[in-house]
Amino acid sequence: MSLNNMNRPGEPGERVAPAHPTQTVKRMFRYLIKSRKLIIGMLALLAAATVFNLFIPDLIGRAIDTLNLEEGQLTVDWKSLLILLGVLLAVFLLSSLFQYLQGRLAAKLTKTTVVTIRKDVAQKLIRLPVAYFDNRQNGDILARLTNDVENVSNLISTAIAALLSSVIVIVGCIVIMLIKSPILTAVCLSTVVLNILVTLILSKKMFGYFRKQQKAVGKMNSHVEQSVANKRTIDAYDLNEEVVAECDSLSDELTEVGIRAQVLGGAMPPLMCLIGNLNFLLIVAVGALMFIHGGFGVTIGTIQAFTLYSRQFTQPINELSGVFSQFMTALASAERIFEIIDTPSEADEGTTDVKPSGACEIVFEHVTFSYIRGVKVLDDFSLTIEKGQKVALVGKTGVGKTTLISLLLRFYEPDSGRILIDGADIRTIPKSRLRSMVTAVLQSTAVIEGTVRENIAYSRFTASEDEIRAAAEISCAAGFIERMENGYDTVVTGEDTMLSQGERQLLCLARSSLTAPSALVLDEALSSVDSATEQKIQDALLSMMEDQTCIIIAHRLSTVINADKIAVFSDGKIAETGKHQELLNKHGVYYSLYKNQYVGILD
């Protein structure tokens, strides 16, 4: 049983097709290249450390050649041996120092790059249209911002340095080995083709599994997030076993995909090790034959040096194969991150600068809208709200009242028709300007983590203490706020259980009263407060909004009887309009709604 988000389903957001892995790598590199100085510093230190390491096998081989066995008598060139050992010690110390400094730069590069990626994702999420979130689970979005970014971070901190180091080591080893013995170098390189083939075959299969694994992680996170958020509902309906069963199913799916991905990833190191040992065997065998036959300039020290160079040459390949599964995971994660970044932002187009003084006129002209193609929510809808009018929108659940407000705020665009404010098509008004003109207190209560004072001032950060307290008085929130232990300094959270649903609505209402809009929309904003408090708040708001336009959406018809005009919705259209008593006298849709709520009153 799935506990989906309780948001109204929206139109599908624009899906971004998965990028080719090569394109994803190029984009990751573009983030890295922003920190050029750090990369140059890393490269310099890596080059220095690697160059010193490259001399170690040669120095060891030379040290071995200071030992001379002739006619059963061992002689040692002590002076040369001691000098070589001293040089070896210095090389070890310098190499370790450079590796330490390179590690510090790598950590700084990781932090800088990951912060930039996370910042880009967060900024993009803020600018995405509402429709994007309607069709995606919150847990999956959070997983991209946390788990997926962390995977990319792990790659940068380990694999990038390993890759740069490997290139230097491989090139350096080949150059030195060619100088010492081209034949043994050819033997050493003979297994490289085998390495490449194994890597290509496994990588193609691995990436598909790692992509599935990250999707499974997102689904699992979404389920856990929804289960925690809806814990009371789960307990109320005794759905614990069903939720656990679904969790087990998702966990099994993640485990199965994860095991397949890790099995393939785990096969890389042993295969590379096997190929490396085969390489080692070939060098010893061919080197011994060359030494025995003579004339090739190969000494025991040369063979020893080549075995070490062989290890140095294959070690970076083995290391890269070891982090290959990590690379595949990060690649799949980066693909999911870039999918968010590539999604088109909500456009703030418009050049008309409407500056109404006080109230504004709102006109809906032949508006048609569907969330799902072919299923109309609004059908050729028309309504005029004059300046300063207090208009109530009523009707059964699902007839399109809230949709109308979403279109007015341009959360969605109508399929046809248009909406005008003071004669200007809202599509020509910048969204930022439009939403400052129309303030909506929506059905859902958005309480942020912070103090009560910060929650009220969320709509206008510059509000003074007197303005905040006045807003609390207007919304009737002052009473319960002052009863709190710390009053306006009480810290609340988005899921705070110390606040009732009604108190949360009053906080949101206080927040909206701090703005000075041309039109105020109350979308079931007082559905969780008692009738007496609702009427008191509406009277205060209507008094405050005397010179402004007001739209009230309510199911409790007792709270809209004083509206200047009541528009009754039915099947996506206006069935009838008028004042309370006029509509009752018509004995139409409004009469039926009112009678159903107050059985016996009209009999």
Side-chain angles (χ1 to χ4, degrees):
M1 179 176 183
S2 179
L3 290 170
N4 295 323
N5 292 339
M6 298 184 181
N7 298 330
R8 174 178 47 78
E11 65 183 2
E14 184 174 340
R15 299 279 180 177
V16 178
H20 189 277
T22 305
Q23 296 299 321
T24 304
V25 171
K26 286 181 180 178
R27 292 190 64 175
M28 290 171 66
F29 180 74
R30 284 200 289 269
Y31 272 98
L32 286 171
I33 206 65
K34 292 178 182 179
S35 303
R36 291 182 181 84
K37 292 182 180 179
L38 288 175
I39 293 177
I40 291 171
M42 276 183 58
L43 280 172
L45 291 168
L46 273 172
T50 305
V51 167
F52 279 115
N53 283 333
L54 287 172
F55 284 118
I56 291 174
D58 185 56
L59 290 170
I60 292 174
R62 290 174 183 272
I64 290 174
D65 284 339
T66 60
L67 308 177
N68 189 21
L69 185 62
E70 290 183 0
E71 298 179 359
Q73 186 70 31
L74 179 66
T75 59
V76 181
D77 184 349
W78 287 104
K79 182 180 179 180
S80 299
L81 181 60
L82 291 173
I83 291 173
L84 287 168
L85 292 176
V87 173
L88 267 173
L89 178 61
V91 167
F92 282 132
L93 291 174
L94 287 171
S95 176
S96 299
L97 175 63
F98 289 141
Q99 286 176 352
Y100 167 73
L101 293 175
Q102 175 270 322
R104 295 194 60 174
L105 287 184
K108 191 172 182 180
L109 175 65
T110 301
K111 181 180 178 182
T112 303
T113 305
V114 169
V115 165
T116 303
I117 293 174
R118 187 171 279 127
K119 187 176 178 181
D120 285 353
V121 176
Q123 288 179 345
K124 171 61 75 167
L125 287 173
I126 293 297
R127 290 173 172 81
L128 288 176
V130 171
Y132 178 87
F133 299 93
D134 285 342
N135 292 275
R136 287 162 178 82
Q137 296 175 317
N138 293 339
D140 181 63
I141 293 174
L142 291 175
R144 297 183 190 218
L145 193 58
T146 54
N147 180 266
D148 287 322
V149 173
E150 189 62 30
N151 288 337
V152 174
S153 170
N154 292 336
L155 175 70
I156 295 171
S157 62
T158 56
I160 299 300
L163 178 63
L164 296 174
S165 161
S166 298
V167 171
I168 298 171
V169 168
I170 291 171
V171 172
C173 283
I174 291 175
V175 171
I176 295 174
M177 287 192 296
L178 282 172
I179 293 172
K180 296 185 75 67
S181 174
I183 296 175
L184 287 179
T185 302
V187 172
C188 186
L189 295 176
S190 63
T191 56
V192 171
V193 176
L194 190 56
N195 270 320
I196 294 172
L197 284 174
V198 170
T199 301
L200 289 176
I201 292 170
L202 287 180
S203 63
K204 187 175 180 180
K205 294 184 178 180
M206 286 167 61
F207 184 66
Y209 283 118
F210 279 110
R211 179 185 283 171
K212 291 179 181 178
Q213 178 179 271
Q214 292 312 114
K215 288 183 180 178
V217 168
K219 289 167 65 177
M220 187 70 183
N221 283 356
S222 294
H223 177 74
V224 172
E225 185 266 337
Q226 291 171 19
S227 299
V228 172
N230 299 311
K231 184 65 172 69
R232 293 190 176 196
T233 303
I234 293 169
D235 287 346
Y237 288 98
D238 192 23
L239 297 174
N240 290 283
E241 290 187 7
E242 288 83 352
V243 171
V244 170
E246 184 175 357
C247 183
D248 289 342
S249 175
L250 291 172
S251 179
D252 290 343
E253 179 185 346
L254 176 58
T255 301
E256 181 181 353
V257 175
I259 287 175
R260 292 188 179 185
Q262 293 302 326
V263 164
L264 284 173
M268 291 287 282
L271 284 173
M272 295 300 106
C273 184
L274 176 64
I275 295 170
N277 288 332
L278 176 62
N279 184 272
F280 179 80
L281 254 175
L282 288 172
I283 288 173
V284 171
V286 174
L289 289 172
M290 291 171 68
F291 176 75
I292 291 170
H293 288 87
F296 293 97
V298 172
T299 65
I300 297 296
T302 303
I303 297 173
Q304 175 62 34
F306 256 88
T307 58
L308 294 176
Y309 277 122
S310 171
R311 290 295 187 192
Q312 274 198 341
F313 180 76
T314 56
Q315 183 180 358
I317 298 175
N318 294 338
E319 286 178 352
L320 288 177
S321 67
V323 297
F324 204 75
S325 60
Q326 184 183 5
F327 175 75
M328 290 289 105
T329 302
L331 199 59
S333 292
E335 187 179 84
R336 285 161 49 83
I337 292 168
F338 293 141
E339 191 238 327
I340 291 180
I341 294 175
D342 290 341
T343 302
S345 299
E346 183 178 39
D348 194 21
E349 75 282 356
T351 56
T352 304
D353 189 13
V354 179
K355 294 181 179 179
S357 56
C360 63
E361 180 189 58
I362 301 174
V363 179
F364 297 88
E365 287 187 353
H366 306 290
V367 173
T368 299
F369 177 75
S370 330
Y371 290 117
I372 302 172
R373 192 180 299 276
V375 182
K376 296 179 181 179
V377 179
L378 296 174
D379 184 11
D380 196 30
F381 175 91
S382 295
L383 175 67
T384 297
I385 302 173
E386 297 175 3
K387 289 186 177 183
Q389 266 195 330
K390 310 301 181 279
V391 176
L393 308 180
V394 301
K396 295 180 181 179
T397 300
V399 294
K401 302 185 298 295
T402 297
T403 298
L404 197 69
I405 304 308
S406 295
L407 293 175
L408 177 60
L409 293 170
R410 293 192 67 194
F411 292 158
Y412 307 96
E413 300 293 344
D415 299 335
S416 62
R418 60 179 186 159
I419 304 171
L420 308 174
I421 290 184
D422 284 345
D425 191 325
I426 63 171
R427 285 173 293 194
T428 68
I429 303 172
K431 288 181 181 178
S432 54
R433 175 64 183 148
L434 174 67
R435 292 167 188 173
S436 68
M437 293 167 56
V438 181
T439 293
V441 184
L442 301 176
Q443 205 167 351
S444 57
T445 54
V447 176
I448 63 168
E449 184 170 353
T451 64
V452 170
R453 178 182 290 101
E454 289 169 342
N455 265 277
I456 296 175
Y458 194 64
S459 61
R460 184 158 64 89
F461 295 140
T462 58
S464 66
E465 183 69 18
D466 289 341
E467 289 174 320
I468 291 172
R469 290 179 180 272
E473 289 288 347
I474 290 171
S475 67
C476 296
F480 80 82
I481 293 173
E482 290 166 359
R483 288 194 297 271
M484 292 179 168
E485 184 177 356
N486 297 315
Y488 287 85
D489 293 318
T490 303
V491 176
V492 294
T493 63
E495 302 297 330
D496 207 320
T497 55
M498 67 182 287
L499 295 176
S500 69
Q501 186 65 19
E503 289 170 339
R504 293 162 69 89
Q505 283 193 326
L506 295 181
L507 269 185
C508 294
L509 194 62
R511 179 188 301 157
S512 70
S513 65
L514 277 179
T515 61
S518 299
L520 174 66
V521 178
L522 302 178
D523 181 6
E524 292 291 348
L526 302 172
S527 58
S528 297
V529 301
D530 61 90
S531 298
T533 303
E534 180 181 27
Q535 191 61 56
K536 183 179 178 182
I537 294 169
Q538 283 203 14
D539 290 342
L541 283 172
L542 292 176
S543 175
M544 181 185 70
M545 296 287 293
E546 188 174 351
D547 296 326
Q548 275 114 359
T549 305
C550 190
I551 302 174
I552 304 167
I553 298 176
H555 280 109
R556 285 204 298 248
L557 301 184
S558 61
T559 61
V560 303
I561 58 177
N562 295 321
D564 297 327
K565 181 165 66 175
I566 300 172
V568 185
F569 278 65
S570 179
D571 297 325
K573 297 181 179 181
I574 295 293
E576 52 192 12
T577 61
K579 288 182 176 290
H580 171 69
Q581 194 58 49
E582 292 174 358
L583 293 173
L584 287 180
N585 294 337
K586 289 182 179 180
H587 287 258
V589 179
Y590 183 80
Y591 178 86
S592 299
L593 290 171
Y594 196 84
K595 185 176 181 179
N596 287 337
Q597 286 194 14
Y598 303 99
V599 177
I601 292 180
L602 300 177
D603 293 337

